[in-house]
Amino acid sequence: DFDKWSIGIPLFIHPYKGFRFTLAPGLEHVDSDDEFLFRLGVGYEFELSERWILMPEFNVDFVDGEEAYVFGISIGYGF
């Protein structure tokens, strides 16, 4: 069961080669309660081909005075 979901508007900053930093304000919804969320993240884009990337990433979500650590892998396709 999924008991919460989050939505945000990310700003991506690419300062050097494949590094990507993320800043994202948003909302976290739990039951019938919405809380302001702010996400900070960092990742590195590995080019698999001309259009495909694989990116391991680490994010920290700040919600209601608490922190949640999010690890993941993103797959991207450029068009």
Side-chain angles (χ1 to χ4, degrees):
D1 290 339
F2 291 102
D3 60 348
K4 65 181 172 181
W5 55 267
S6 301
I7 188 168
I9 301 171
L11 170 66
F12 299 115
I13 301 166
H14 295 262
Y16 181 73
K17 295 192 178 185
F19 282 102
R20 182 175 88 179
F21 294 96
T22 306
L23 304 171
L27 291 174
E28 181 177 272
H29 180 81
V30 180
D31 297 326
S32 61
D33 189 31
D34 293 326
E35 295 285 340
F36 177 75
L37 168 138
F38 191 78
R39 172 174 280 192
L40 294 175
V42 63
Y44 191 86
E45 296 178 355
F46 293 97
E47 289 187 21
L48 302 176
S49 70
E50 186 175 312
R51 294 189 176 247
W52 289 95
I53 63 145
L54 180 69
M55 187 180 76
E57 58 185 315
F58 171 72
N59 298 289
V60 180
D61 290 348
F62 299 93
V63 182
D64 195 29
E66 297 181 7
E67 300 170 1
Y69 302 102
V70 182
F71 299 91
I73 295 177
S74 296
I75 297 172
Y77 179 77
F79 52 91

